[in-house]
Amino acid sequence: MNRMSKTDRLFSGRQLSRLIWPLVAEQVLSVLVGMVDVLMVSFVGEAAVSGVSLVDAVNHLVLQVLFAMTAGGTVVCAKYIGAGEYTSARKSGGQLLSVTTGALLLLSLLLLAGGQSLLRLLFGTVEPEVMRDAEIYMRFTAVSFPFLAVYHSAASVFRAEGNTRLSMLVSFGMNLLNIAGDALCIFGFGMGVEGVAVATLLARAVAAVAICLFLQSPDNALRIRRLGDCRPSGAILREILSIGVPGSVESGLFNLGKVMLQSLVSTLGTASIAAYAVAGNLATYLYLPGNALGAALMTIVGQCRGAGEPEQAKSYTKLLVMLNYAALVPICVVMIFGRSFWVGLYHLSPESAYFAEGLLLAHSLAMIIWPVAFMLPYYFRAIGRAVFPMAVAIGTMLVFRIGFAYAFVDWMGKDVLWVWYAMFLDWLVRVLLFGAAFSSRHYSFPNGR
C-alpha cells in the first residue's frame, strides 16, 4: 500500500466538514419538520391523520426508489468530476434529470388514473371518511412526484461536486414553506386534508424551480447548457442504472420486509404493536449521522474513483465509519439513560412502555454493529459494485431478519423484543460479509478507474 501525504489527499479536513455538516443538518431538519407536519395534520382530525398516513406508506416506497436512482447519478457525476471530465459530468446530471422526471411523471399519470383503485385494494377495510381523505391526498401528492424528481436529481448533482449546503438550504425552505402552507390552509382558510395536500404540492414545486435556477447559474461548472445534455446516452445511462436499479430493488424489498415484520408484530397484541411503533420512531434518530455520512461517502468515493485513487477511497471510508461511531456515542448514551423519559412522551400503557424501553435499550446497544453493516454498502455502490450489497441485503433480510423473527415468535413463543434480536443477527452477518469484501482487493478499483 502506498502511503499518502496530506498534500496528496483529495479532501482536506475543512472540505470534509463543509461536505458533511449540511447533510447532517438536512437529516435532522427533515425529521423535526416531519414531526411538526404530522402535528399540523392532527388538527384536521383523526380521519385526516389516518388517510395521510396510508398514502405516505405508498409514497415512502416511491421516495426510496427515487433516492436509489439519484444515488446512482451522484456516483457517476462525482466520478467524472474527480477525473476532471466536466462535460461528461454535465451530461450525467442532465440524463439523471430526464430519466427520473420522466419515470415519475409516468407514475404520476398512472396514480391519477388508478390511484383510487390501488387504495381500495390495499386499504379497502378502512372507514369511508378515511378513504376519502386518502384519495384526496394521493391525487395531490401524485401531481407532486415530477417536482420531487427534479429537486432530488438536481440536489444530487450539487452533492456530487461537494456543494451540500445549497441542497440543505433549499430543503429547509421547502419544509418551512410546507409548514407555513399547512398553517395558512388549516387555520386561515379552514381547509381539511385538501389544504395539507395543496401545501405539500406547492412546496415541492417551488423547491424544484428554485434548485433548477441555481443549477442553471452561469457560475455553476455543472450547468446544463443545452437539451442535448439531457438526451439519453447509452454508456452514461447504463452506468447510472447499474447503481440505481440494484439500489431500487434493495429498497423496495427492504420495505416489503418491514411490512412483513409489522404483520408479525400485529399478532402479539396491542401493547407490542404500540411499543414497536414508538421504539421504531425513536430509533430513527440513531440513524441520522450514518445516513448523512453515507450520502457524503458517495461523493467522496465517487471522486476518488474518477481520480484513480483506490487507497484514498478506502481511507476516507474508514474515516467516515469512525466519525459515525463518534457521533453515535452521545446519541446512544442519551437514548439509553433517558429511555424512560423519551418513551413517556408517548403516554403508553405500562405494558407498552415496558416493551418500548426494552426495545430502545437493545437497539441503542446494538448500534455498535450498525455503522459497518450499513455504511460499507455506500462504498460498494460508489465503486460500481451495487449488485453485491443488494444481494447481501436481500439474503440476510430473508434468512435472518424475517426468517429468524418468525422462528422466534411463531415457533418459540418469544415476545416483541426477539423481532429486533433477529434484526441484529441480520446486521452481524452483514458486518462479516461486507467487512471481508472491503478488505479484499477484489472489491476495489484499479488506479485510473
Side-chain angles (χ1 to χ4, degrees):
M1 181 186 298
N2 296 325
R3 296 184 62 85
M4 298 171 294
S5 68
K6 292 184 179 180
T7 56
D8 292 329
R9 297 181 71 82
L10 294 176
F11 294 88
S12 66
R14 183 187 181 95
Q15 288 173 316
L16 287 175
S17 176
R18 290 172 59 187
L19 175 68
I20 292 169
W21 79 258
L23 290 170
V24 175
E26 187 175 347
Q27 287 281 328
V28 173
L29 286 170
S30 178
V31 171
L32 292 177
V33 170
M35 292 175 63
V36 174
D37 196 42
V38 171
L39 180 63
M40 299 287 284
V41 175
S42 68
F43 283 98
V44 179
E46 289 187 2
V49 174
S50 300
V52 169
S53 66
L54 293 180
V55 175
D56 279 343
V58 178
N59 290 347
H60 182 71
L61 178 58
V62 174
L63 284 173
Q64 291 302 310
V65 172
L66 175 61
F67 292 158
M69 290 300 297
T70 55
T74 298
V75 169
V76 175
C77 196
K79 186 192 79 169
Y80 286 123
I81 292 171
E85 299 175 14
Y86 282 87
T87 299
S88 296
R90 282 195 298 271
K91 287 183 177 179
S92 63
Q95 288 176 61
L96 178 66
L97 271 167
S98 61
V99 169
T100 56
T101 304
L104 262 67
L105 178 59
L106 176 60
L107 178 61
S108 177
L109 294 174
L110 291 173
L111 288 176
L112 287 172
Q116 182 177 353
S117 299
L118 176 63
L119 287 174
R120 294 189 181 280
L121 176 65
L122 295 174
F123 314 111
T125 59
V126 300
E127 298 176 2
E129 187 180 2
V130 173
M131 181 59 70
R132 181 188 68 84
D133 285 344
E135 290 171 359
I136 293 171
Y137 191 67
M138 172 164 272
R139 283 197 294 272
F140 281 94
T141 55
V143 173
S144 75
F145 283 165
F147 296 115
L148 271 182
V150 170
Y151 165 73
H152 285 292
S153 297
S156 73
V157 174
F158 284 111
R159 291 184 186 123
E161 60 179 342
N163 186 356
T164 54
R165 183 172 178 270
L166 179 62
S167 64
M168 177 199 70
L169 292 174
V170 175
S171 175
F172 179 73
M174 175 175 65
N175 287 308
L176 193 63
L177 182 60
N178 195 351
I179 291 175
D182 284 345
L184 179 63
C185 291
I186 293 170
F187 303 118
F189 299 142
M191 300 172 69
V193 75
E194 295 93 339
V196 177
V198 167
T200 299
L201 171 59
L202 290 179
R204 291 174 175 179
V206 170
V209 172
I211 202 164
C212 278
L213 291 176
F214 286 118
L215 187 62
Q216 289 301 101
S217 169
D219 298 329
N220 184 11
L222 297 184
R223 178 187 181 190
I224 299 173
R225 297 173 180 173
R226 53 193 179 89
L227 289 177
D229 290 336
C230 298
R231 188 179 303 124
S233 165
I236 294 177
L237 195 56
R238 278 195 299 272
E239 194 167 7
I240 293 174
L241 294 177
S242 71
I243 300 168
V245 171
S248 299
V249 172
E250 180 182 339
S251 295
L253 292 177
F254 181 77
N255 280 281
L256 180 60
K258 289 175 68 175
V259 172
M260 293 177 66
L261 289 180
Q262 185 69 56
S263 175
L264 175 63
V265 171
S266 69
T267 66
L268 295 174
T270 303
S272 294
I273 296 171
Y276 189 78
V278 167
N281 181 263
L282 290 170
T284 58
Y285 293 96
L286 300 173
Y287 304 143
L288 293 179
N291 290 337
L293 290 166
L297 194 60
M298 300 285 275
T299 297
I300 293 167
V301 175
Q303 290 198 23
C304 288
R305 183 184 173 196
E309 293 286 351
E311 296 302 329
Q312 287 202 43
K314 288 198 170 185
S315 175
Y316 284 123
T317 301
K318 294 174 184 176
L319 174 62
L320 264 64
V321 169
M322 295 309 298
L323 286 176
N324 193 359
Y325 278 114
L328 276 174
V329 169
I331 299 175
C332 289
V333 167
V334 169
M335 284 293 182
I336 290 170
F337 290 101
R339 61 187 184 278
S340 296
F341 171 77
W342 302 118
V343 171
L345 294 175
Y346 292 83
H347 305 290
L348 298 175
S349 68
E351 185 181 5
S352 293
Y354 170 78
F355 280 131
E357 288 185 30
L359 286 166
L360 189 57
L361 173 62
H363 200 295
S364 299
L365 293 173
M367 288 302 290
I368 195 172
I369 311 173
W370 194 92
V372 177
F374 286 89
M375 285 197 65
L376 289 188
Y378 288 104
Y379 166 83
F380 295 120
R381 295 182 193 111
I383 65 170
R385 304 298 293 270
V387 173
F388 171 63
M390 178 197 73
V392 170
I394 293 173
T396 58
M397 179 189 70
L398 290 174
V399 175
F400 296 96
R401 184 174 301 212
I402 297 176
F404 272 75
Y406 273 86
F408 289 149
V409 173
D410 280 352
W411 297 351
M412 300 171 63
K414 300 295 185 178
D415 60 34
V416 67
L417 285 167
W418 288 77
V419 174
W420 271 9
Y421 293 159
M423 179 175 71
F424 303 150
L425 278 176
D426 173 3
W427 294 3
L428 184 59
V429 175
R430 291 186 192 215
V431 167
L432 297 175
L433 294 176
F434 289 143
F438 183 75
S439 301
S440 168
R441 289 188 176 275
H442 179 65
Y443 285 95
S444 185
F445 54 89
N447 291 337
R449 295 176 291 160

